[in-house]
Amino acid sequence: MAPQRSTRARGGTSSSGSSAATSAGPSCSSPPSTPAPSSPDLTSDDSDSDFEATLRPPTKRRSRRPPSHVRVPKRPRQRDPSVTPTSPDHGTLFQAVLSAKADLETLVDEWLETYQEDRERGFLELANFLVRSCGCRGVVTPRMFRELPNSEIIQRLTQEFAEDSPEYPLAAGTQPWRRFRAGFCGLLAAVVRRCRFGAIFDGFLLDALVALLTGLADSQVRAFRHTGTLAAVKLLTALGEVALDVGRQRDSNRRHLEAEQGKEPERRAAGRVETLLEKSQELQEQQQEMEDLMNAIFKGVFVHRYRDVVPEIRALCMEELGTWMKSYPTLFLTDGHLKYLGWTLHDKHGGVRLQVVKALQGLYGHRGTATHLELFTSRFKGRLVAMVLDKEPEVALEVVKLLTMMLDTTEEALSEDDCCQLYLLVYAASRPLASAAGLFLYRRLLDPAGDNHSFLRLLLDFFLESELHEHAAYLVDSLWDCAGHRLRDWDGISSLLLQGAPPEGLAAPQEQALVQVLAASVAQAAQGHPPVGREPPRKPSAQQRKAQAEERTRLSLCLIPVLPQLLAKFSADAETATALLELLPCLELSLCRSGRMEKHVERVLGQLQEVVQKHSGQGVLGAASRALHALCAPALPTRPQGDLARGLLADQLAERCQGHIDELLQATSLEEQELYSMAATFRRISALFSAHDLTPWQLFEPCARLLQHAADTGEVPAQVLVPTISCLHYHLLWELSRLPAAHVPKEQLQSLRRRVGIFSSLCQGCLGDAEGSVREQAFMVLSDLLLVLGPRLAQGGREELLPLVLVPEAGLQAQLAAFLMDHVFYHGHSEPPAGPIQELHQRRLLLAGFCKLLVHEVLELSAASDVFKHYAKFYSDYGDIMRETLSCARQRDRRRWAGVLLLSLQQLLAELLLQQGPGAAAEDLPELRLLARRFSALLGSPRDRAALLALHREGIRFALQDPPGPGKPPLNLPFLEVLGELSARLRRPDRAAILAYLEQQCQQQGALPSWPPLAAYRRSLQDEEGAPSGRPPAKRRRRDGVPPTHHQLLCPQAALDQLCDLFDSPILGKEAT
């Protein structure tokens, strides 16, 4: 490694990891080749030659040796005695940096003393520190340093790596090694900093160090390449700081020289001008030497490593390139260097793209450097705008921040089309990304310097043009961090809503949009967490809770007086009235103790009753019910007025309900207007029942008579039946909640039991109704009722409630399973009226209701087969729900759970055979094989061993049962190929046991070995040589270091005897029947 022989430069192709590192994987794609890298043209490429430092100390020239191209063997037969593999680390730089106990400046001072005494010994100490930092135990000796070239030294050091250890210090992620990495970089910077007035310019240290680092960075070994690249780029960064210091000294010296030359000759100091001229020449030479070294490192290391196959190395190069451009722009902020950032924007690894974007942020964040990026902006702006949709959320976030910086420093860089792509990100699911897009929107479009009314008008125009009127909460949340003070202008928003028609006021669509924005802003200020889907709510700190309470008080004082006026103005519009009514639960209603505030509350209650009378939609009625519930809270002064308003509403609705029921039971037919009025009344009662206890009005009996009439005659329309079922359901739940904690009266318990029986039988009858909406409502209500009145109701000291426990009969379970087939597990051919997303959401709710019954042990576990058999086909729609159900079922009983998996496969096979005929083969049943592979992924735990063995045993019996005649294959024989998908999860002795059991069953049933499914299943239980997998082959390496169990040491017959106890009982027990 003598520096005098490091002057060779290689032409042709490089041996670097990016171009010839066969052990590191495929190389990263590089830009097309064009002219030399010194050209400022951004389309130019770099030569493919590696580079080693050409500077050398003034020593005697030796004869050059031809480069060696011999491949390094993995296991050398004989080690070179000049390399010491077991050199101790005690007292070395490596150990000092790793312990992190010594000050880096002190370490460098001690090393510098050694270097000044003997520069060869001092350099070897630094070189061995670099080698040891690569994870190599080898040591560079003085003899090797004097006699061998870099490539041969690195080849010999390569042999000292542990073959089975892919880790090295820079790749380790633990805290000590992360601390070591920081110390490693700090030590190199300290060496340059402490040597800047002496050793750095001696012509030996930096030349030899650059030559060593270039050779390490050019190695095919990842550890050498990574460590060498890190050391080289950090060395360049430190040299840049020295060059800047030399430049500042030159400027100071130039000013002194100009001042001295400006003096009259008789006033000049003797020899002062000559001294300053000599100093200026010396500083210029030093700066030129630093720039030459930096160029040498850049061309010898960076040019090849920025496209390395290892993404960490590429990211490291991009990070340091951004640092160089900011710290030393005169040398690096050129088009010839900026092209590397532009090319790497297309890197396939997200971490590399992230470092490029962060480097560009440092450049675009200052006007001084942004002015040099005109050509880069015009060339790569399209790529930057497209990266706002990057698949990595962190990269997309930083790109939006970068484009926001460009708004300030390069005003005309982004066109309106470019900005429109960023505007819609305010509706993104990621809150950090949406907040960054909100800041961009605020600065670009919403006029931060204008008054609040102009801001609101611009915001409403954008909201309406985006045509996403249902997502006002997401828009408000995106703007909350940057424009929250404007959105909290409650007086300004309310005054703008109460203004007249345009031009002073707003148009009707703008008013509706502003009410949506107001409701979202109030919810954000009062609750303090983002909308659903952005991120989970966090527990606020004490300071945040205090700020929320103060803001809630302020908005309540502002909005309570104007809320009656707003309701009076917008009560005719259901959507706007819903948003206004949603404000009441967010307000601090305890402030309504004064007479003036009570007057406003009375007016609000009056408007609320008017809204209930005007509208019949489920959304607005639910909002009105929740608002009334907020006003009727026990601790509020508004409770008397709220109870009075609720009583008046309930009296009116109960009277109308009784009249409608009597009219319907007596009349032969009703007109459309009468049916609409009846449906609206029941919807109002159902909405009010959801938040208020209306059991004193005794609505159960008349509603039950109506439901019984519908079951008998089928003449009641669905628009009446759906809210009637809800009313009965809420009535039972409120009655159950009113039961005392202990000593429940027997009469009350019997009455509730009778009503539960009546309602459950009526709902079971509604499951066969012709209308889909009635069936869905009955299914959801039955699922909830079975869950509430399940076996757990009478637990925990509540045994007296045992008569209320509702046990689903076999007929009801069959109806629930049939409902799933008709309404959940089907592929619709026509788009539903509500849209595909809403329809899928409704189907997921139905499936979740059934799965809750399985999880809480209301239904038998065998009923889960009606769900699990669709696990593969409907995985994209319901995979998360079914996966959670499978996990809960496995935790209950693994053996019975495996039986349910087998039953699911058997049921699906029977269905497919009915569709395709008895002659179908397993290749014709891809859905069944896919389901088996899905189940196989769930059976990998060692605790599933017994269940898996029992599953194979029952599956073999199922496949070979009931042969049609001698020599004829059974109907279920293709099931053996399905079982073969589960064979990979069997242990080696278990495969031998299953194979023996298979042979036994084949002899009893007279099965022929030539049947294809039987042969395929037998092959799945055998190893590659065709022998039973009962004993592991000799000299086979154990995986994961797990010692063999005693079963693995037995022969197949002995293993079968040991495992026979697993085959005593069927895995489903009584449920199988």
Side-chain angles (χ1 to χ4, degrees):
M1 198 191 65
Q4 61 267 25
R5 286 188 308 282
S6 65
T7 59
R8 63 184 179 86
R10 285 183 223 115
T13 59
S14 168
S15 63
S16 62
S18 61
S19 55
T22 57
S23 64
S27 62
C28 181
S29 60
S30 59
S33 299
T34 42
S38 58
S39 171
D41 185 8
L42 286 175
T43 61
S44 65
D45 195 3
D46 304 277
S47 64
D48 290 331
S49 62
D50 285 345
F51 183 88
E52 282 196 51
T54 57
L55 299 179
R56 60 187 182 187
T59 56
K60 183 177 179 180
R61 178 181 298 272
R62 297 176 182 266
S63 59
R64 293 188 178 183
R65 297 184 181 181
S68 175
H69 298 285
V70 181
R71 292 179 60 87
V72 180
K74 288 186 176 180
R75 295 184 180 87
R77 297 180 180 178
Q78 183 177 1
R79 295 189 183 274
D80 184 62
S82 61
V83 180
T84 307
T86 58
S87 58
D89 291 333
H90 181 70
T92 62
L93 284 175
F94 177 82
Q95 184 62 32
V97 174
L98 179 60
S99 63
K101 295 180 181 179
D103 180 63
L104 293 179
E105 299 289 342
T106 305
L107 285 177
V108 173
D109 288 341
E110 294 175 356
W111 171 85
L112 188 57
E113 293 177 1
T114 304
Y115 179 81
Q116 290 172 351
E117 294 174 0
D118 185 350
R119 66 181 187 179
E120 182 178 287
R121 182 163 62 91
F123 177 77
L124 286 178
E125 184 178 357
L126 184 61
N128 286 317
F129 165 72
L130 294 173
V131 172
R132 186 66 184 88
S133 300
C134 298
C136 179
R137 291 286 181 175
V139 176
V140 182
T141 63
R143 179 182 174 185
M144 296 168 59
F145 176 69
R146 298 189 192 100
E147 298 179 359
L148 300 179
N150 289 338
S151 58
E152 190 168 344
I153 291 176
I154 295 175
Q155 283 182 354
R156 296 196 179 190
L157 292 174
T158 302
Q159 301 172 9
E160 304 306 318
F161 274 104
E163 179 189 358
D164 56 348
S165 176
E167 294 293 332
Y168 54 95
L170 294 186
T174 57
Q175 180 63 29
W177 291 115
R178 290 199 299 267
R179 189 168 55 244
F180 170 80
R181 178 187 176 117
F184 176 84
C185 300
L187 180 71
L188 292 175
V191 167
V192 176
R193 188 167 55 251
R194 302 296 289 180
C195 298
R196 67 182 183 273
F197 298 118
I200 198 174
F201 300 109
D202 65 356
F204 175 82
L205 176 62
L206 287 183
D207 297 347
L209 185 59
V210 170
L212 172 63
L213 295 179
T214 304
L216 290 175
D218 197 38
S219 173
Q220 293 186 0
V221 180
R222 172 176 175 173
F224 279 153
R225 206 165 64 249
H226 192 178
T227 308
T229 303
L230 175 62
V233 296
K234 291 298 181 181
L235 179 64
L236 195 155
T237 302
L239 291 176
E241 296 177 0
V242 173
L244 287 176
D245 185 58
V246 173
R248 287 190 290 268
Q249 294 181 30
R250 283 189 61 193
D251 294 338
S252 177
N253 185 80
R254 178 180 52 80
R255 289 193 298 270
H256 290 164
L257 179 60
E258 292 175 355
E260 193 68 24
Q261 289 176 344
K263 295 179 181 179
E264 297 178 0
E266 60 273 8
R267 298 184 60 184
R268 295 177 184 173
R272 176 67 172 168
V273 174
E274 290 75 9
T275 304
L276 291 175
L277 287 174
E278 293 176 0
K279 183 66 174 177
S280 177
Q281 182 66 24
E282 179 185 357
L283 292 174
Q284 183 178 358
E285 292 175 357
Q286 291 180 357
Q287 187 173 18
Q288 184 62 40
E289 184 177 356
M290 292 295 100
E291 292 182 358
D292 291 342
L293 282 172
M294 288 189 288
N295 280 323
I297 297 174
F298 184 84
K299 295 178 181 178
V301 177
F302 177 88
V303 167
H304 302 292
R305 298 283 69 79
Y306 88 95
R307 53 186 178 181
D308 196 278
V309 295
V310 180
E312 289 82 1
I313 298 178
R314 302 199 301 270
L316 171 64
C317 292
M318 292 298 108
E319 180 183 5
E320 294 301 318
L321 179 58
T323 303
W324 304 335
M325 289 180 175
K326 288 189 296 182
S327 61
Y328 209 86
T330 56
L331 183 62
F332 291 102
L333 191 57
T334 63
D335 295 334
H337 295 84
L338 285 168
K339 63 183 179 183
Y340 298 107
L341 293 177
W343 287 340
T344 318
L345 285 173
H346 299 269
D347 195 280
K348 61 183 179 181
H349 194 269
V352 182
R353 299 194 301 272
L354 179 62
Q355 292 300 332
V356 176
V357 174
K358 288 185 175 181
L360 291 175
Q361 287 178 357
L363 300 178
Y364 279 103
H366 303 279
R367 288 187 178 272
T369 55
T371 55
H372 297 80
L373 303 175
E374 294 181 359
L375 181 58
F376 178 88
T377 304
S378 62
R379 175 71 184 276
F380 296 104
K381 182 191 67 174
R383 172 58 182 165
L384 289 174
V385 174
M387 287 178 69
V388 299
L389 301 178
D390 195 281
K391 64 178 182 179
E392 300 291 339
E394 189 176 0
V395 177
L397 170 62
E398 297 300 329
V399 171
V400 174
K401 292 181 180 179
L402 171 61
L403 295 176
T404 306
M405 294 178 182
M406 293 174 64
L407 288 179
D408 300 331
T409 56
T410 55
E411 292 83 359
E412 303 299 330
L414 298 176
S415 64
E416 190 61 30
D417 293 337
D418 298 332
C419 296
C420 289
Q421 299 185 42
L422 274 76
Y423 291 158
L424 293 182
L425 290 178
V426 296
Y427 299 106
S430 172
R431 190 176 191 276
L433 178 60
S435 298
L439 179 60
F440 182 89
L441 173 67
Y442 180 63
R443 291 188 178 179
R444 172 77 179 188
L445 191 65
L446 300 184
D447 189 18
D451 61 345
N452 207 42
H453 277 197
S454 62
F455 163 78
L456 291 173
R457 291 178 184 272
L458 291 172
L459 178 62
L460 295 177
D461 292 340
F462 167 76
F463 184 44
L464 293 174
E465 291 175 3
S466 64
E467 298 181 355
L468 295 171
H469 304 162
E470 298 179 358
H471 302 290
Y474 295 90
L475 175 61
V476 169
D477 181 60
S478 302
L479 294 170
W480 195 254
D481 294 337
C482 59
H485 61 287
R486 293 182 178 272
L487 295 171
R488 290 191 295 268
D489 184 13
W490 316 117
D491 292 328
I493 295 177
S494 57
S495 63
L496 189 59
L497 284 172
L498 293 175
Q499 287 181 358
E504 293 81 6
L506 301 174
Q510 291 178 322
E511 290 178 339
Q512 297 172 2
L514 185 55
V515 171
Q516 301 290 335
V517 171
L518 173 64
S521 301
V522 169
Q524 185 84 8
Q527 299 171 1
H529 57 76
V532 177
R534 277 276 164 91
E535 63 180 18
R538 300 176 181 177
K539 184 178 180 180
S541 62
Q543 184 178 1
Q544 291 175 337
R545 289 195 298 269
K546 181 180 178 181
Q548 290 176 13
E550 293 176 353
E551 186 62 34
R552 188 177 182 184
T553 300
R554 191 175 71 87
L555 70 89
S556 301
L557 293 175
C558 294
L559 294 180
I560 289 177
V562 300
L563 189 57
Q565 304 176 47
L566 294 175
L567 284 172
K569 181 177 181 179
F570 299 107
S571 61
D573 184 73
E575 185 177 356
T576 308
T578 301
L580 291 174
L581 290 171
E582 293 288 359
L583 298 179
L584 276 171
C586 300
L587 301 179
E588 189 63 44
L589 298 176
S590 61
L591 300 174
C592 304
R593 298 184 183 275
S594 62
R596 183 179 302 178
M597 285 295 185
E598 289 181 358
K599 181 176 61 176
H600 296 313
V601 170
E602 292 177 359
R603 295 176 57 191
V604 167
L605 287 171
Q607 292 296 329
L608 190 148
Q609 296 180 51
E610 185 177 348
V611 168
V612 172
Q613 299 298 334
K614 282 183 178 180
H615 301 283
S616 59
Q618 183 178 0
V620 64
L621 292 176
S625 179
R626 291 188 293 272
L628 183 58
H629 181 267
L631 292 170
C632 295
L636 293 180
T638 59
R639 182 178 183 180
Q641 297 93 329
D643 289 342
L644 179 60
R646 178 175 58 191
L648 292 176
L649 273 177
D651 289 339
Q652 297 174 3
L653 294 175
E655 183 179 355
R656 292 181 186 176
C657 174
Q658 187 65 46
H660 287 313
I661 292 175
D662 294 340
E663 184 178 357
L664 179 63
L665 295 178
Q666 295 175 4
T668 56
S669 63
L670 294 178
E671 297 180 358
E672 183 178 354
Q673 184 64 27
E674 295 175 340
L675 289 176
Y676 175 81
S677 177
M678 181 184 300
T681 299
F682 280 101
R683 280 197 291 268
R684 293 185 181 108
I685 295 175
S686 174
L688 197 61
F689 231 145
S690 64
H692 303 270
D693 183 8
L694 302 185
T695 53
W697 279 265
Q698 298 297 325
L699 297 175
F700 183 87
E701 301 300 336
C703 290
R705 285 191 291 117
L706 176 61
L707 202 58
Q708 184 64 51
H709 178 75
D712 296 338
T713 63
E715 297 177 354
V716 182
Q719 57 183 345
V720 177
L721 285 180
V722 171
T724 302
I725 295 174
S726 299
C727 291
L728 290 170
H729 177 54
Y730 290 135
H731 200 290
L732 292 178
L733 294 181
W734 280 112
E735 283 196 66
L736 184 63
S737 67
R738 296 180 65 180
L739 291 178
H743 307 294
V744 182
K746 186 176 181 179
E747 297 78 8
Q748 187 178 1
L749 201 61
Q750 292 178 351
S751 174
L752 183 57
R753 172 60 186 168
R754 180 183 61 82
R755 290 183 173 183
V756 167
I758 293 174
F759 179 64
S760 61
S761 62
L762 290 175
C763 284
Q764 186 174 354
C766 290
L767 288 175
D769 194 90
E771 292 290 338
S773 58
V774 177
R775 294 197 299 270
E776 289 184 2
Q777 184 67 21
F779 180 86
M780 295 180 66
V781 165
L782 271 177
S783 300
D784 291 342
L785 196 63
L786 288 172
L787 184 63
V788 173
L789 302 179
R792 299 185 180 182
L793 178 66
Q795 298 176 0
R798 302 275 289 177
E799 289 76 9
E800 57 184 338
L801 299 182
L802 189 61
L804 294 179
V805 174
L806 189 60
V807 179
E809 300 176 353
L812 177 58
Q813 295 190 32
Q815 283 186 286
L816 295 177
F819 177 87
L820 289 180
M821 290 295 300
D822 296 337
H823 291 263
V824 177
F825 296 116
Y826 77 97
H827 288 294
H829 300 287
S830 60
E831 184 173 329
I837 297 179
Q838 291 80 1
E839 196 262 350
L840 176 61
H841 178 67
Q842 179 66 18
R843 287 159 57 183
R844 287 174 59 87
L845 288 177
L846 296 173
L847 178 60
F850 184 84
C851 290
K852 284 190 295 184
L853 300 179
L854 297 171
V855 170
H856 293 277
E857 305 180 20
V858 177
L859 298 178
E860 294 291 343
L861 193 57
S862 58
S865 62
D866 296 318
V867 176
F868 296 163
K869 65 183 179 183
H870 304 288
Y871 183 57
K873 185 176 182 180
F874 291 90
Y875 186 82
S876 59
D877 293 338
Y878 319 117
D880 53 342
I881 300 175
M882 290 190 281
R883 189 167 57 247
E884 185 66 23
T885 308
L886 281 165
S887 176
C888 294
R890 177 167 54 183
Q891 293 175 7
R892 285 172 53 186
D893 190 330
R894 291 179 179 270
R895 194 180 181 103
R896 296 173 62 198
W897 168 72
V900 175
L901 300 186
L902 177 63
L903 184 59
S904 303
L905 293 171
Q906 293 172 352
Q907 290 180 356
L908 186 59
L909 175 67
E911 295 176 4
L912 295 176
L913 289 178
L914 287 176
Q915 296 176 4
Q916 302 187 15
E923 291 78 6
D924 302 327
L925 309 173
E927 180 183 347
L928 186 61
R929 297 177 69 96
L930 178 60
L931 180 62
R933 285 194 291 270
R934 293 277 190 185
F935 287 164
S936 177
L938 304 173
L939 290 165
S941 174
R943 291 181 293 176
D944 297 330
R945 184 184 183 190
L948 184 60
L949 287 168
L951 188 150
H952 275 271
R953 179 239 187 187
E954 295 294 335
I956 292 172
R957 295 179 57 186
F958 172 76
L960 298 178
Q961 69 181 1
D962 300 332
K968 295 183 179 180
L971 180 65
N972 299 329
L973 187 65
F975 192 74
L976 288 178
E977 290 195 52
V978 178
L979 279 182
E981 300 289 346
L982 306 173
S983 299
R985 295 294 181 179
L986 289 169
R987 296 189 178 186
R988 301 183 67 85
D990 297 348
R991 292 188 184 188
I994 293 296
L995 186 61
Y997 184 80
L998 175 66
E999 300 297 341
Q1000 178 185 357
Q1001 291 295 315
C1002 289
Q1003 293 178 3
Q1004 294 178 1
Q1005 300 293 339
L1008 300 179
S1010 59
W1011 289 344
L1014 180 58
Y1017 183 55
R1018 183 182 287 109
R1019 286 195 301 270
S1020 70
L1021 297 173
Q1022 297 173 345
D1023 58 13
E1024 296 180 358
E1025 288 77 14
S1029 305
R1031 178 179 300 175
K1035 297 183 180 180
R1036 184 179 180 90
R1037 182 182 298 176
R1038 297 196 309 261
R1039 293 182 295 177
D1040 301 330
V1042 179
T1045 61
H1046 69 282
H1047 289 303
Q1048 293 174 320
L1049 304 178
L1050 301 175
C1051 64
Q1053 184 60 42
L1056 181 60
D1057 296 338
Q1058 290 286 337
L1059 299 172
C1060 64
D1061 60 329
L1062 300 176
F1063 298 150
D1064 290 341
S1065 60
I1067 52 182
L1068 275 179
K1070 297 181 180 180
E1071 294 185 18
T1073 60

